[in-house]
Each structure stands twice: as C-alpha cells, then as structure tokens.
Amino acid sequence: MVKKSAYGVIKRPRSSADRDYPPGGCIFSASSCKLLFFPFFGLTTDTSAATALAALSLAAFENMVGSTTGFRARPGQHAMAECVASTLARADLGEQPSPTKSIAVIQAGTGVGKSAAYASTAIAQALARKTRVVISTATVALQEQLMTKDLPALAQTMAQPFVFALAKGRGRYVCKVKLERLVGVGSAEDELFDDMADNDRPVPKVSALSQEAIEERRTRLFETMATALATARWDGDRDTLADQPDPRDWSAVAAERHTCTARHCPRYKECSYYNARTRLAEANVIVANHDLVLASLGLKTLPDLDNCLVVFDEGHHLPAVALDQFSNAMDLSNLRWLDKLPKTMTEVAGKLALHVGEDVQTVTSQLKAALTTLARMAMDLVWQHTGSNAQGGGNDGTLRFANGVLPDALREPVTQIHAQATGLSSVLEALGVDVKTVAKEDPSQAVLCAQLYARLGGLAPRLGSLVSTAGLLLEHGEQPLAKWLQAESESGFLTVTAHACPIMPGDLLHQFLWSQVRGAIVTSASLTSCGSFDYFLKEAGLSNNPNVTALEVSSPFDYAVQGTLTVVHTQADPKNAEAYTAEMVQALMQDIEQVRRGALVLFTSRAQMRAATEALPGHLQDMVLVQGTQSRTRLLASHMERVEGGMPSVLFGLQSFGEGLDLPGALCETVFIAKLPFAPPSDPVDEARAEWLKRLGRDPFNELVIPATGIKLLQWTGRAIRTEEDRARVICYDKRLLQTAYGKRMLSGLPPYRLEKRGG
C-alpha cells in the first residue's frame, strides 16, 4: 500500500527482495529502501534545463556508486539522491526577479547512506552551476566524518575535482596581536591591558603560591603557542593544538569580531582566521555547523545563502539551535567590568587624541546602580519563589514571568538599563570607528590601534547583552516571550541573571533563515514523530510552505528479524517517580545480570541514574561505566576495550548518550530505556510555550510534548541496530508505551521491531 501526505511522503511496505543486499562496511555503503518515489507535490513545473541539471547530478551519484568496489546503490539511497537532485535543480540562485525556492525535508533511516546521496548530487550540481555547497551539521563527529572520510572518498570518483574546507567560528583561532602582547613582543603599551580580565566572574581564592604557579603555567603556554606559530609548526587553530588549553587561558588570546580591526590590523596578512577565510573562499564545498550558519546570517562569513546550495544534515537540531541563537541574557551580579569602562574609554581616546562626547563616568555609574537595584530585586523575587534555605537565605532557582509580563516593579530599572546601556554602546561604537580611522590614515600607529581597539572590543559584547536583553524584557506583543530570572550559587558566589527568549523556533527560522535560502536539503534519521513530519515542519518554520517536499526513506535493516522491543509492565505508575524508580531499578539489575557483551542504559534524570548506580551489587559494579565519571572519549574507549576483550560492559548514560552514539555489533546488543524520555517540565521556554498554547485553547501536551518525546524515543531506540548484521533488543520499562493512546502514537513512529510484553 502506498501512503501519501500533503508533503509528498511516499512509503511502501518491505518486501523479501529488499533483504538481498551486500554486506556493509563502506562509508558510501548502499542501502535498501522502503519507498516508492513519485514526482514532487507543491513545486513549480520542471523546465528542461532543471531536468537536465537533475539528470547530470544524479549521474554523478550513480558514477560514485559504480566506482566504489563491491558496493551498489540501494533503492532508498538512489531515491534520496534523486530527490536531492530534483529539489536543488528547481531552485533559482542569484539575482532573479521572482526566484523559485525549493527545499526537501528527507528522513533517511540508519544505514541508508545519506551523506553519499546528498554530497555527490549536490556537489556535482554546484560545480555545473558554478556555485558552492554549504553542508551544515550539528556535531563535531559528523564534521570529522565528512572531512576525513566521505568527501575525500567522493573526490576520488568525481569527474571534476573540487575543493572542500571546514568553516569554524572566529573564536577557534588565535589573535596574534593578543598573543604577542601576552608574551611581551607586541608593544610597549601592555599596561593598557592590565585591567582586562579574561572572565569577570568571581573565582575561588587561591594562595599566592598557587596563583604564581597558574601565572607561570599560562606564561609557558603562551610562549609555546607563539613559538609554534612563528615557526609554522602551528596554524593558529585551537583544534590543531596537541593539548587543548583551558577555556580561560584560550579566551585571553582568542580572535573576536568585536576586538578585530580586520584589514587595518598590522597582522592581517598573517592572521590565522583570515587565512582560513581565504581558503574558505576558494572552496567549492564548505562544511559548517548549524550554530555558525545561523550566527553568520548577514555577516558574509559564509557564502550568501541565496546564491549557493545548502544541506542541513542532523537537521532535527535546527529548531533548538535557533532558540539558542536568539536567546538573550544579562548578568546582574558580576559588574566589575563596568568599573573599567570609563577608564578604558578615556585612556583609549587619550592615547590617540580622540574625544569621548558623553559623560561616560556619570552614565556608567547610573547603569551600575540600576543593575545593582535590579539584581537585589531579582534575588528577592527568586528567593520568595524558592523559599528559604538552611542558612536563612534563599534557594537557587528560576522564576519565570507568567505570560511574558514583566512585573511593574522591575520595569523602571530595566528601562533605565536599556537607555543607559544603549547610550554607552553608541559612544563605544563611535570611538571604535575613530580608532580604526586612525589606523587607516596613520599606518605607523596600526599596532597601537589594533591593541586599543581590542581593548574596547572586550567591552562591546557585555554592553550589547544589556541592550538586547533589556529590550526583550520590555517587549510585549501578541505572542509572548519567555522571560525569567535565575539565581545560582557556585564556589560560595551567587550569580543572578535575567533572560529573555522567543518561544517559537519556527518563526525565527522562517524569518531569518528560509527567507534567504533558495535551494536546500534538510535531512536526518529522526525528522518524523509518531509517523508524521508535521511536528518537525512546524518547529523548523517549514509548515504549509508550498516549496517544501517531505520524503521518508526507510532504513534497509529488517528490524522484525534483527531486533525485538520488549515493554515491561511495572506495578508502579511511572508518574509515581519514587515507587516507579525503585521497581524499575530492581528489574534493571536482574536484566543486567543477563548481559554478556555490550549494553547501554538510558536514563531520563541524574537522580534516576544515581539510584541505579547505588543499587548495583558488588559483582556488577566492575562491568558498569557511568557517564560523568570520566570523559566521554575515555568512557567509550574503556567500553570497547572490555567488549573486545570478551568481558561484559554496560554504559549508564543520559540524553546525550541517546543520540549520535554509534556502537555496532557486540558493543551494544541491548538498549535499556528506563522511562519514556519526556523533557523536564521546568524549562522556562517550554513552560512559556505551553502557557501560551493553553491561552489559545490548544493542548500543549499533544501538540508539543508527545511529538518531542516521540523523536527522542526514535533516537534512543536507534542506538540498538547499527548495521545489517546486528542482532539487538530494546527493553523499555515504561508500560505507558503500550497502555496509553499517546504511547501508541510514539510506538507507531518507531522501526517495526518484533514487539514483546513482559509482566502485567
């Protein structure tokens, strides 16, 4: 039977013929497909040129498959390549009076070989159209796979050569001016930097001896970096250092947009970041990440999205990245940087005989007073909300403002902060422009200007966060914003912050991303929830878009043969956390006894994982590795070493272990799911969204919570079967998966495992 939705999703049942495929093991391994591909719905009619272009790029895919010894295309991989080719060929790039946009949302199950399908077709088409491809990912692991395996292998098969490069944010590169200043070879103006702290957050006091040791260590680090840079043994990229520096150390020398004079810098031609930008400009294919793509909109860091082809792999992360990018926060408690601001601006202006037009000292004092007042009021409000602690103060916590309405008592100080910070930001920006002008007009002062500009630039983001956050806190429209206060204690210090964030990621992506993109592919193994694309399309800002086609390509794995999904029926209700956790842990201990090779246990909270860890009997403790006890890399290495040595090994992990963890074969023969992965109900943005939907008469549980949980469950169960040879089982202790309507909805979106029930 063929199923078709408004978005062109076409699927067909498995057939026995689909099981006839060669063994895996190649990056571009082909896969079978549970799909019959039909023409797109909702797109403009193909022109002959677009048809020819699609055929050309599809031929590149077929050539790639034919050139890979021992492997052939599976129907699913071919269908995905055909979708990519046709979608991108329909898009008009560059200057057009009425450009056609074309976007495909493709869910490609594990084993389809999606990177081969989209890379070969998109790159061939970009070369033919004399444009470029941006491939955006959500994880470093996929970036590394593309850069070190997939793209080099593809380059061997392509008729036309292409250049590919990895795009990174400016902060991943060293600023040579800053580094030279710290090792004493840059300028005699070092005293100008004495009051530039790397981080103004309070830190625990250390002894004079310890502080001296820290300074010696940092000095050695910076001298080593400077020597390596000067002798071309290091390219200035943080990621290529043999030992990764402490973030506080790196922040002192990292390149930043606000501290960079660009072409006016005397080290511009030697700049690691701009040299990387030059290489990027020469590349046909740019591998980036979602954060960088969204953060770079309008900044010319990457190619213009209306004049290149774009692929968003791991596309299910886009909504969360959008919310993160547009979230704003201001620190109300660590204000030492404000004491430096007037002095810094005055001294910088004095060094170059420039004029600061405002009474900066007075306005800064007023700003600090307003921030201090707001901090005190915020702390009182949070503590009233969280209650008193044993010391008579208040407990740490979060206070969200209902319906996005800022309390009247806070409106005056926030208004003052916005006005004063805006004024100071304007003065700072004008002074920065003057400094760059001096550098341009008098090259003999270029080094001094670069250092002075860097000093000003260190203050710009702090003022900017005050302006943007205060502005959003004061804003109130038809669709509310999430607004909240947060108090956190660490190492004896209390930090109070104010936050504001939009609540609908789809609106943000629609306005800022899709308004620019012409031709794009969004792909992932988990874009559907409960068997539908609807939730993702809404979250991603693509719902009801006539230029969007959605396609589901099933995994080639025979889940009914290769795996089982067992649902355990506990006596305790999962909503009764204490009783359920106790019963679940008891059952889990018994099941772990049966593990002979590798297994993964996924928990929904640290408390839950702690309860299971503490319940481990002595003879099981040595076979369990718990997330957080050592680095992820070491934890996985220990797990692999144990399993390969013939010993049983069980990983205990949280959400981050439920996605992107690739443990094929014996490394993971069982996935235990402690509870359905509902998100904690305390996230301020989620709370604000649910509150708003309720006001509109809608059901946030059915509209948001169930689909989001369904996607997580699809990801979690996806850790079980990773290759065509795997035999694995999933054991879920949450009976709601079978007993509730929403559980059955989630179940309908999972691969067709052989279903079993235990207990009850």
Side-chain angles (χ1 to χ4, degrees), residues 110 139 141-142 145 314 316-317 525-526 600 602 632 636 655-663 714-716 718-719 722:
T110 306
T139 63
L142 181 54
Q145 176 186 315
E314 300 175 317
H316 61 281
H317 285 282
S526 51
L600 172 65
L602 294 170
R632 178 183 173 118
L636 296 179
Q655 167 61 32
S656 62
F657 273 34
E659 179 185 356
L661 200 61
D662 191 18
L663 298 171
L714 177 59
Q715 293 164 352
W716 284 24
R719 300 312 99 208
R722 307 299 299 171

Side-chain angles (χ1 to χ4, degrees), residues 536-614:
F536 173 76
L537 291 170
K538 289 178 183 176
E539 291 291 284
L542 294 171
S543 185
N544 300 317
N545 187 328
N547 301 309
V548 174
T549 293
L551 177 71
E552 181 177 354
V553 181
S554 300
S555 168
F557 304 152
D558 192 338
Y559 287 96
V561 171
Q562 293 180 246
T564 60
L565 169 58
T566 301
V567 180
V568 179
H569 283 233
T570 59
Q571 295 299 313
D573 189 328
K575 294 180 180 179
N576 184 344
E578 185 176 351
Y580 174 79
T581 297
E583 186 176 351
M584 179 275 294
V585 167
Q586 184 179 11
L588 176 63
M589 295 301 111
Q590 296 173 358
D591 286 333
I592 290 178
E593 293 271 9
Q594 309 304 316
V595 172
R596 295 294 174 261
R597 296 200 282 183
L600 172 65
V601 186
L602 294 170
F603 298 94
T604 57
S605 70
R606 290 191 181 277
Q608 202 179 59
M609 186 167 72
R610 190 183 310 114
T613 303
E614 293 172 352

Side-chain angles (χ1 to χ4, degrees), residues 129-149:
R129 300 178 73 164
K130 301 189 185 308
T131 188
R132 299 197 279 172
V133 178
V134 174
I135 301 175
S136 180
T137 77
T139 63
V140 173
L142 181 54
Q143 285 188 333
E144 291 177 347
Q145 176 186 315
L146 287 164
M147 291 296 296
T148 63
K149 295 181 180 180

Side-chain angles (χ1 to χ4, degrees), residues 251-283:
S251 68
V253 295
E256 300 174 278
R257 180 169 63 89
H258 295 285
T259 63
C260 179
T261 55
R263 297 181 185 277
H264 306 308
C265 176
R267 302 291 180 261
Y268 175 75
K269 292 183 178 179
E270 311 154 36
C271 177
S272 301
Y273 170 68
Y274 280 104
N275 286 339
R277 283 278 300 271
T278 299
R279 292 191 295 272
L280 212 60
E282 297 168 349

Side-chain angles (χ1 to χ4, degrees), residues 65-85:
V65 172
S67 302
T68 306
T69 305
F71 296 93
R72 66 178 185 273
R74 295 174 182 161
Q77 193 181 38
H78 191 280
M80 180 175 178
E82 185 178 357
C83 177
V84 172

Side-chain angles (χ1 to χ4, degrees), residues 616-678:
L616 286 167
H619 67 285
L620 291 182
Q621 290 179 1
D622 288 341
M623 66 182 281
V624 174
L625 296 164
V626 182
Q627 182 180 3
T629 57
Q630 52 185 307
S631 72
R632 178 183 173 118
T633 301
R634 290 183 178 178
L635 205 69
L636 296 179
S638 298
H639 178 72
M640 293 175 67
E641 184 178 345
R642 289 183 183 185
V643 175
E644 290 170 358
M647 296 182 292
S649 181
V650 180
L651 289 165
F652 277 15
L654 299 168
Q655 167 61 32
S656 62
F657 273 34
E659 179 185 356
L661 200 61
D662 191 18
L663 298 171
L667 294 176
C668 185
E669 294 185 332
T670 309
V671 173
F672 300 99
I673 297 176
K675 199 174 186 180
L676 290 178
F678 289 104

